[in-house]
Structures are given as C-alpha cells and as structure tokens.
C-alpha cells in the first residue's frame, strides 16, 4: 500500500527561485538562506520519495478573480512552469501522478471534501520554488508531484482547522491506494511576511518559532489559530501557513521533528523550513 513517510514545510519566496536560477546561491546574501536546505537535500537523496503531494497556493497564474477554488487537486500528466511576468522559470516540467491523484480526488470527495479537479494548468513559484530548494537544478525533477492548491490569496481562505482535517483525509486516501508508493506531503508558503502597506517587511520571529515548535508532538493546537491572529502576528501574507497544517494533519496524531531551518531575511520574508515524520 502507499504510505505517507514524511512531511516537509518550506517557504516559496520567488526571490529564492531567482537566486537558484541565476546561480546566486553562494553569494553572501543568499548563502545562509540556502545552507539550511543542505541537510534536507542529502536526506531526500536517501529517502527517494515516489510522489510528493505538494500543497501550495497559486498567485494569480492559473487562477484569478474569474475562478477561486478553495481546494484544487491536479490530476494531469504534467504541468509547465507558469509565466509570472518575466517568462517561465527555466526549470523542468513537473510530472504528475494521475492514477494516485484521481484516487485521492475520489477518496476526498466521498470523504466530503468537495475538491476542484484540475487537469491542465501551469504552476507558479508556489510550487516550483520548493522543488528547487529541495532538489537544486536537475535536468528532470526526481519525483512525481500531485499539486494541491489552496486559496490563501482572496478572502475567505479556509480555516486552519479545515486544512488540518484535509490533511487527515489525504492520509486516509493515500493509505487506501494499493500500489506500494513512498509519498511525502509538503506544505509551502510563509513564514511571517507582509508585502504591502504600512507594515510591509513585518517579521515575527517569536511567533514563527512558536509555530515551528508546535508542529511536532501530539498537540493539535495550531489548527485553532484564527485568521485574525495570522494577520495580526505574521502580516497579511502569513496566512499561507495554513497550508503547512494540511501537511501536519497528513502525518497523523503525532509527529517528530528531524530538521529545522529559520532565516531572516530573504527578500522581505522570513524563510522557514522543517522536516517531520509521523511518530504514531
Ligand atoms: Fe506565496
């Protein structure tokens, strides 16, 4: 049977993708941001996941004000990098896993999560930057990816509680897929950041650290954080962290921390990264 073996969270800051694409990773400004991913790159090379369910948000690339799915799952064969205004990133296409994706879509919908099914779309930095951070610049991504898009751009985004419950349902879906697959769930975005208005550049290290601390262990306290707390404590874009809760929910009752990285600043954002495994 398929099984979820790990959960990874990772900021998806566009500037990290630019640094990677234009070989600036070793420059003094960027080196500390990338250094914290070296452990995970080596670990991923050993883990060799077959599939990553990559929870991310689209930034008006595939979706815009014409259509705003709260939760969408990619069931296609492949996805190209989106043109976000400067041409598509020069990174490989993302290969999907339609059989597992359709199985998950069916399981989630029968489990009362009314997913939007996407067969064709381009994927933006929300999805491709975490792949770059974890795998560098390969000729082809070493893993198949099931994109799972969450609306955190246009209010109202889903609650943290609903995201955690979606993760729990994803675990049930994966564990009922008959093929023997090593599946990871990644949550992306965050950490504290605000990119506009008088509080632009807001970073809240203390709150971010609290959030990282509470991802491991058996408490599910984080699922009850209301939207207003994300806004107040982490800035207008900190709400992206509800996507980390999909990942955490998918790991089961208890999770163990294997690795953590926190760095300020990259662009005007706190870089957060954590690797967890199920501990039940
Ligand atoms: Fe984002």
């Amino acid at each position: 049977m398929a099984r979820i073996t790990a959960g990874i969270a990772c900021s998806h800051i566009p500037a990290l993708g630019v640094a990677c694409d234009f070989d600036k990773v070793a420059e003094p400004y960027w080196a500390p941001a990338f250094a914290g991913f070296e452990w995970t790159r080596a670990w991923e090379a050993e883990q060799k996941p077959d599939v990553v369910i990559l929870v991310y948000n689209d930034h008006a690339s595939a979706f815009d004000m014409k259509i705003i799915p709260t939760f969408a799952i990619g069931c296609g064969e492949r996805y190209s990098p989106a043109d976000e205004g400067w041409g598509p990133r020069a990174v490989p296409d993302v290969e999907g896993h339609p059989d597992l994706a359709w199985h998950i879509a069916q399981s989630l919908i029968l489990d009362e999560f009314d997913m939007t099914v996407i067969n064709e779309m381009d994927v933006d930095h929300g999805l491709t930057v975490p792949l770059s951070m974890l795998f560098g610049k390969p000729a082809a991504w070493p893993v198949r990816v099931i994109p799972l898009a969450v609306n955190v751009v246009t209010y109202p985004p889903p609650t943290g509680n609903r995201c955690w419950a979606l993760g729990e349902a994803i675990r049930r879906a994966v564990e009922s897929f008959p093929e023997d697959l090593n599946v990871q769930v990644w949550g992306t975005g965050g950490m504290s950041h605000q990119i506009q208005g008088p509080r632009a550049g807001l970073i809240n290290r203390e709150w971010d650290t609290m959030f990282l601390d509470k991802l491991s262990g058996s408490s599910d306290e984080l699922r009850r954080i209301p939207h207003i707390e994300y806004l107040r404590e982490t800035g207008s874009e900190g709400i992206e962290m509800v996507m980390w809760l999909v990942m955490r929910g998918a790991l089961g009752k208890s999770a163990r921390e294997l690795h953590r990285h926190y760095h300020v600043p990259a662009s005007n954002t706190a870089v957060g990264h954590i690797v967890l495994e199920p501990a039940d």
Side-chain angles (χ1 to χ4, degrees):
M1 304 298 275
R3 67 212 180 280
I4 292 173
T5 58
I8 295 178
C10 175
S11 301
H12 60 221
I13 305 162
L16 291 172
V18 174
C20 196
D21 295 348
F22 293 94
D23 297 319
K24 296 174 183 292
V25 171
E27 291 183 1
Y29 180 83
W30 292 111
F34 280 85
F37 290 86
E38 281 168 19
W39 182 93
T40 318
R41 288 186 185 191
W43 181 79
E44 281 290 69
E46 288 168 15
Q47 294 292 309
K48 294 187 175 56
D50 299 300
V51 185
V52 168
I53 299 169
L54 205 157
V55 183
Y56 78 110
N57 69 288
D58 177 84
H59 305 74
S61 301
F63 313 130
D64 55 24
M65 291 304 285
K66 285 188 282 190
I67 179 164
I68 307 169
T70 300
F71 295 124
I73 183 167
C75 294
E77 296 277 355
R78 57 196 315 111
Y79 311 92
S80 297
D83 183 348
E84 298 180 64
W86 297 271
R89 289 187 67 205
V91 294
D93 277 2
V94 174
E95 195 181 345
H97 196 304
D99 287 350
L100 178 59
W102 276 108
H103 170 85
I104 293 172
Q106 172 175 300
S107 179
L108 290 178
I109 289 167
L110 296 180
D111 217 353
E112 302 182 350
F113 283 86
D114 305 317
M115 306 299 290
T116 298
V117 172
I118 307 284
N119 288 311
E120 286 182 28
M121 66 173 169
D122 292 343
V123 289
D124 71 11
H125 68 270
L127 187 137
T128 61
V129 166
L131 288 170
S132 297
M133 300 311 288
L134 274 289
F135 298 124
K137 297 177 77 171
W141 299 121
V143 68
R144 296 199 191 200
V145 175
I146 296 176
L148 200 147
V150 178
N151 167 45
V152 291
V153 170
T154 305
Y155 268 74
T159 64
N161 185 54
R162 189 65 172 158
C163 288
W164 189 294
L166 176 64
E168 293 172 328
I170 288 171
R171 182 182 176 93
R172 291 191 286 274
V174 168
E175 289 181 345
S176 62
F177 189 68
E179 198 178 328
D180 184 25
L181 293 173
N182 177 358
V183 179
Q184 294 183 348
V185 181
W186 295 8
T188 74
M191 298 197 84
S192 54
H193 65 304
Q194 174 147 343
I195 57 176
Q196 72 254 301
R199 295 203 307 164
L202 181 146
I203 305 280
N204 187 341
R205 178 186 290 268
E206 194 180 336
W207 197 97
D208 288 343
T209 303
M210 175 281 295
F211 191 88
L212 288 164
D213 288 345
K214 289 183 177 171
L215 284 168
S216 39
S218 54
S219 166
D220 65 352
E221 209 180 308
L222 294 177
R223 69 194 293 173
R224 287 182 283 280
I225 296 170
H227 287 152
I228 194 71
E229 183 172 338
Y230 287 103
L231 274 170
R232 186 181 63 236
E233 300 296 332
T234 75
S236 52
E237 277 71 46
I239 190 67
E240 289 185 342
M241 278 182 274
V242 296
M243 297 186 290
W244 294 32
L245 301 183
V246 179
M247 174 277 288
R248 176 60 190 85
L251 298 181
K253 287 211 160 36
S254 186
R256 183 182 304 115
E257 178 177 330
L258 300 178
H259 175 67
R260 178 194 297 203
H261 173 50
Y262 186 80
H263 173 73
V264 174
S267 182
N268 57 359
T269 307
V271 180
H273 168 50
I274 197 164
V275 181
L276 302 165
E277 66 178 3
D280 291 348

